[in-house]
């Protein structure tokens, strides 16, 4: 299959500080890939460049086989941030609709409602469309944020540690939810994590970044059947082996 995301020799400086150096890898269409590494290795910077929030200082970045230059080439992408960033005065439905409001051509209000209701159902929030963020648990807020990321029908979903603030049980539920939706929609997923267990449970491949400056240390294939649980001996061994690379 062809690459949804390609990086070739990508580097980035902030002033005199070199954050990334010579990063090269591909993310195949429909694949789930984790960016893993310690704090300061440039994971979020790299994700922000793929999203079009930052431009590479060196190298080339390709999206769906086309050279990416600015956000105009990234209409197929959606970004789920570490914070849920829900607007407190909006209902769950209105928050999910947000990504559709600037669409060109414009989408009618009734159609936005219909699509928002559909993605809220998809993430298991039937009956909560009219609830405001303060009325929702942390896990439910994460589901609304996921719904908002999916409402545009992206081919590529970018996630920056979106489940890191959830308790372990809720994080596991969100992992299951993401994998269920991925199996249905087959979008490409590139996500940042510092959690080795999360990387093994979710990803088809893990790009391990070394720090200062960030560079690819190793790319690890996770050839294990799903669902994966950390208590399974084979999965636990994969987690142990990956920890040795961090």
């Amino acid at each position: 299959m062809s690459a949804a995301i390609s990086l070739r020799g990508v580097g980035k400086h902030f002033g005199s500080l070199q954050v990334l150096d010579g990063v090269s890898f591909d993310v195949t269409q429909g694949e789930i890939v984790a960016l893993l590494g310690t704090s300061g290795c440039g994971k979020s910077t790299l994700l922000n460049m793929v999203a079009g929030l930052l431009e590479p200082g060196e190298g080339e970045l390709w999206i769906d086989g086309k050279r990416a230059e600015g956000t105009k080439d990234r209409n197929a992408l959606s970004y789920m941030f570490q914070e849920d960033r829900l607007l407190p005065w909006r209902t769950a439905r209105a928050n999910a609709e947000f990504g559709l409001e600037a669409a060109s051509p414009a989408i009618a209000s009734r159609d936005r409602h219909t699509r928002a209701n559909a993605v809220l159902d998809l993430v298991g929030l039937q009956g909560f469309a009219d609830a405001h963020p303060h009325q929702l648990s942390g896990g439910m807020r994460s589901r609304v944020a996921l719904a908002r990321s999916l409402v545009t029908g992206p081919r590529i979903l970018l996630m920056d540690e979106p489940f890191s603030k959830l308790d372990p049980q809720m994080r596991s539920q969100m992992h299951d939810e993401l994998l269920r939706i991925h199996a249905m929609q087959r979008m490409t997923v590139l996500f940042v994590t510092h959690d080795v267990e999360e990387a093994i449970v979710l990803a088809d491949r893990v790009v391990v970044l070394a720090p200062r400056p960030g560079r690819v240390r190793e790319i690890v294939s996770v050839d294990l059947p799903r669902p994966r649980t950390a208590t399974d001996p084979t999965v636990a061994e994969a987690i142990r082996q990956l920890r040795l690379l961090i």
Side-chain angles (χ1 to χ4, degrees):
M1 296 181 67
S2 59
I5 303 167
S6 294
L7 297 97
R8 294 289 177 268
V10 167
K12 186 68 176 179
H13 287 76
F14 292 117
S16 61
L17 176 65
Q18 186 173 14
V19 179
L20 293 166
D21 180 31
V23 174
S24 299
F25 65 88
D26 291 338
V27 181
T28 303
Q29 291 181 9
E31 189 177 26
I32 303 177
V33 171
L35 291 173
L36 177 69
T38 58
S39 296
C41 70
K43 302 185 299 295
S44 293
T45 298
L46 192 57
L47 199 71
N48 286 337
M49 287 194 289
V50 175
L53 302 177
L54 293 171
E55 290 297 319
E58 302 90 34
E60 296 182 349
L61 173 60
W62 299 72
I63 305 294
D64 285 337
K66 298 179 180 178
R67 181 77 177 268
E69 295 179 356
T71 55
K72 66 181 183 297
D73 296 314
R74 295 170 169 89
N75 293 329
L77 280 70
S78 189
Y79 199 134
M80 187 174 175
F81 295 91
Q82 186 173 8
E83 305 287 344
D84 61 52
R85 301 192 180 190
L86 300 182
L87 301 175
W89 59 89
R90 286 184 168 230
T91 64
R93 181 193 296 109
N95 269 288
E97 284 181 39
F98 186 75
L100 298 174
E101 292 177 1
S104 180
I107 300 173
S109 175
R110 182 176 63 183
D111 293 336
R112 293 200 307 267
H113 289 356
T114 298
R115 289 172 64 170
N117 285 333
V119 291
L120 288 172
D121 288 350
L122 181 66
V123 301
L125 287 178
Q126 299 92 335
F128 290 92
D130 293 320
H132 286 81
H134 74 273
Q135 298 172 306
L136 302 174
S137 67
M140 294 169 78
R141 290 173 63 106
S142 289
R143 289 171 187 264
V144 176
L146 179 57
R148 182 183 57 198
S149 298
L150 297 173
V151 74
T152 58
R155 295 192 300 275
I156 300 171
L157 177 62
L158 308 176
M159 302 191 303
D160 189 359
E161 301 193 64
F163 311 133
S164 61
K165 298 194 175 184
L166 300 178
D167 63 63
Q169 181 178 1
M170 186 56 64
R171 186 161 56 245
S172 178
Q173 290 180 17
M174 289 305 298
H175 290 167
D176 293 343
E177 196 72 11
L178 176 65
L179 291 172
R180 180 183 67 82
I181 293 169
H182 175 264
M184 293 171 59
Q185 301 195 349
R186 299 308 299 174
M187 70 276 195
T188 303
V189 179
L190 178 63
F191 73 97
V192 162
T193 185
H194 65 272
D195 187 324
V196 175
E197 181 178 316
E198 182 171 67
I200 291 294
V201 167
L202 291 179
D204 298 304
R205 288 187 302 140
V206 181
V207 178
V208 181
L209 296 179
R212 293 181 293 276
R215 60 198 184 280
V216 176
R217 173 172 286 166
E218 192 157 344
I219 299 178
V220 178
S221 293
V222 187
D223 297 319
L224 298 172
R226 292 188 176 100
R228 304 168 188 160
T229 60
T231 55
D232 181 278
T234 307
V235 176
E237 176 60 18
I239 293 170
R240 188 187 73 82
Q241 292 291 337
L242 186 56
R243 283 203 174 103
L244 297 176
L245 299 175
I246 305 301

